[in-house]
Amino acid sequence: MIKAAAVNKYFGELHVLREITLEVPRGQVVVVLGPSGSGKSTLCRAINRLEPINSGEIAVDGVPLPAEGKALAALRADVGMVFQQFNLFAHKTIVENVMLAPVKVRKTAQAQARKTAMELLERVGIANQADKYPAQLSGGQQQRVAIARALAMKPKVMLFDEPTSALDPKDGMTMLVVTHEMGFARRAADRVLFMADGEIVEDTTPEEFFTKPKSDRAKDFLGKILTH
């Protein structure tokens, strides 16, 4: 569902993604762990072209990422993204925020869009806030709205960049989650990618990673995290 081949990304002199090659099959939940500055968020943003890459190729569901224009917009409709900044529309209610893209982009009928939006708000636990405005919600609640809004587009892939409340995977959704949340990684991941210095250092199961990390970088990382 996601395929990256020899992806390199530079910020000036800084080589932030080094020859990243990765395949994520349909329905797999991949958690990306690693110290700050390891390239985790940049990888996440490169997958839906928020960060252009310098070389290599990324494809989603067999389609190489287009550079811009309508094709890129279509691809982004299939890749749901939940960031630290939620970008909700302040002047629209919560339910309107969730309905907006399906109506505008997918041409879903209003009544159907509202029904789906309410089901998704129920699923993320904030259906009772549907008629409020974003400013009336806490940061954690706003993030749940952002998750519901992304799911409303029925994306093929969901990308989460450091979510405070990650969604437990449902219905065989393909997910890539950049997180510090070790509990979520252990509980929900099918696979753990450990990144350091722009490279994927380990690619393994949560069980293997947390009990038998192979690299010194991973041992050091886990030592720091798990003692806090």
Side-chain angles (χ1 to χ4, degrees), residues 24 26 73 156 170-171 186 189 226:
V24 179
R26 186 183 304 271
K156 294 176 177 176
K170 301 260 190 338
D171 345 307
R186 278 192 136 132
L226 299 176

Side-chain angles (χ1 to χ4, degrees), residues 111-183:
Q112 180 57 49
R114 176 172 282 272
K115 180 171 176 288
T116 304
M118 289 307 297
E119 285 164 5
L120 290 168
L121 289 172
E122 185 72 47
R123 178 169 152 189
V124 297
I126 50 168
N128 59 340
Q129 312 283 343
D131 295 321
K132 290 190 175 169
Y133 289 87
Q136 296 171 281
L137 270 55
S138 70
Q141 289 173 320
Q142 289 188 36
Q143 187 155 56
R144 287 165 185 243
V145 179
I147 292 171
R149 183 180 60 179
L151 290 173
M153 291 294 284
K154 302 190 170 60
K156 294 176 177 176
V157 175
M158 280 283 281
L159 306 173
F160 292 85
D161 188 11
E162 305 275 4
T164 48
S165 51
L167 180 77
D168 276 358
K170 301 260 190 338
D171 345 307
M173 172 80 69
T174 310
M175 284 171 49
L176 185 91
V177 186
V178 172
T179 186
H180 291 298
E181 217 15 90
M182 298 299 134

Side-chain angles (χ1 to χ4, degrees), residues 2 13 29 39 41 50 54 71 81 105 114 129 140 156 166 171-172 213:
I2 303 170
E13 295 289 292
V29 177
S41 291
L50 280 174
N54 295 92
M81 191 130 200
V105 180
R114 176 172 282 272
Q129 312 283 343
K156 294 176 177 176
D171 345 307

Side-chain angles (χ1 to χ4, degrees), residues 19-36:
E19 293 291 317
I20 296 283
T21 294
L22 170 68
E23 288 195 24
V24 179
R26 186 183 304 271
Q28 192 172 69
V29 177
V30 178
V31 167
V32 187
L33 303 174
S36 290

